[in-house]
């Protein structure tokens, strides 16, 4: 969480395959996005997590974690944080057992409260594109101390606005890590887009 707070960004990777997860994590970290979320929607995710965890500058986590079993598997493969798409108490319990932060998905105020009650280190507001940056400002009213991370629809054109409206960090998605580029191993292209995204946040 310290890395996410410092960089104010993490990236989520959704791809049909990741030919070299360590090289991907190193490319992203070198461009200024050190927190890298690899998801359970990618085949071979546990091997990818283990490989990416060896990247020195990166902090690698597992996303789309739905069950306690997946949480345990991800942590065993080197994940240093977990991300869920929605409220998953079993995942929160597994993360707490290992003292691993979980970024729990939520959308409504009630879901944000539930995520915080479950011990979420931060709350992923998903899908962020639905109501835009202004919704983050609205949520900050009743939840001034909650660490909110918008995901879904965040890009170089609106990242700075999400941050200005109270997000602790933003999630860079396919605009930075296009699935076709990941599958083809185009690390330099991904690094270039990551650097552009980071610049857009200023």
């Amino acid at each position: 969480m310290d890395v996410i707070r410092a960089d104010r960004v993490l990236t989520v990777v959704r791809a049909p395959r990741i030919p070299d997860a360590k090289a991907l994590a190193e490319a992203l970290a070198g461009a200024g996005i050190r927190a890298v979320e690899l998801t359970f929607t990618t085949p071979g995710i546990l091997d990818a997590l283990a490989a990416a965890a060896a990247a020195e500058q990166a902090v690698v986590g597992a996303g789309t974690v739905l069950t306690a079993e997946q949480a345990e598997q991800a942590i065993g493969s080197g994940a240093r944080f977990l991300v869920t798409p929605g409220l998953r108490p079993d995942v929160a319990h597994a993360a707490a057992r290992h003292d691993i932060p979980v970024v729990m998905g939520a959308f409504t105020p009630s879901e944000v409260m539930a995520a915080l009650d479950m011990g979420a280190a931060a709350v992923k507001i998903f899908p962020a594109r639905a109501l835009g940056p202004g919704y983050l400002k609205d949520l900050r009213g009743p939840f001034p101390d909650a660490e909110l991370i918008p995901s879904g629809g965040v890009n170089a054109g609106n990242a700075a606005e999400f941050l200005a409206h109270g997000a602790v960090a933003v999630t860079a998605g396919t605009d930075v890590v296009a699935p076709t580029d990941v599958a083809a191993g185009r690390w330099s292209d991904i690094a270039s887009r990551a650097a552009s995204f980071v610049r857009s946040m200023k």
Side-chain angles (χ1 to χ4, degrees):
M1 285 305 302
D2 288 342
V3 168
I4 291 172
R5 293 185 192 105
D7 291 355
R8 305 199 76 189
V9 61
L10 67 153
T11 189
V12 56
V13 180
R14 294 192 186 279
R17 68 187 194 96
I18 305 175
D20 188 339
K22 181 182 178 185
L24 170 62
E26 288 173 342
L28 289 162
I33 304 179
R34 291 179 290 171
V36 180
E37 172 193 342
L38 307 181
T39 71
F40 268 91
T41 56
T42 298
I45 178 61
L46 298 179
D47 289 339
L49 282 169
E56 290 186 8
Q57 295 182 13
V59 175
V60 178
T64 319
V65 183
L66 302 178
T67 66
E69 180 183 11
Q70 287 179 333
E72 295 284 353
Q73 291 173 336
I75 293 166
S77 296
R80 294 170 62 187
F81 64 94
L82 304 177
V83 183
T84 69
L87 300 174
R88 308 303 291 176
D90 290 348
V91 174
H93 294 153
R97 283 196 297 272
H98 294 276
D99 197 24
I100 294 287
V102 59
V103 180
M104 191 162 289
F107 189 71
T108 68
S110 293
E111 290 171 348
V112 171
M113 285 189 291
L116 295 172
D117 287 346
M118 290 177 201
V123 182
K124 179 177 79 169
I125 303 303
F126 174 82
R129 68 166 52 84
L131 294 177
Y135 186 53
L136 265 289
K137 184 178 180 180
D138 292 339
L139 287 174
R140 294 291 292 175
F143 308 116
D145 299 322
E147 298 196 283
L148 306 177
I149 302 176
S151 178
V154 181
N155 54 50
N158 61 22
E161 190 175 2
F162 274 109
L163 292 169
H165 281 73
V168 68
V170 293
T171 304
T174 54
D175 275 10
V176 170
V177 281
T180 52
D181 285 344
V182 174
R186 291 192 279 265
W187 314 133
S188 61
D189 291 348
I190 289 170
S192 177
R193 281 198 301 277
S196 295
F197 188 97
V198 170
R199 286 193 297 271
S200 79
M201 295 163 43
K202 305 299 189 231

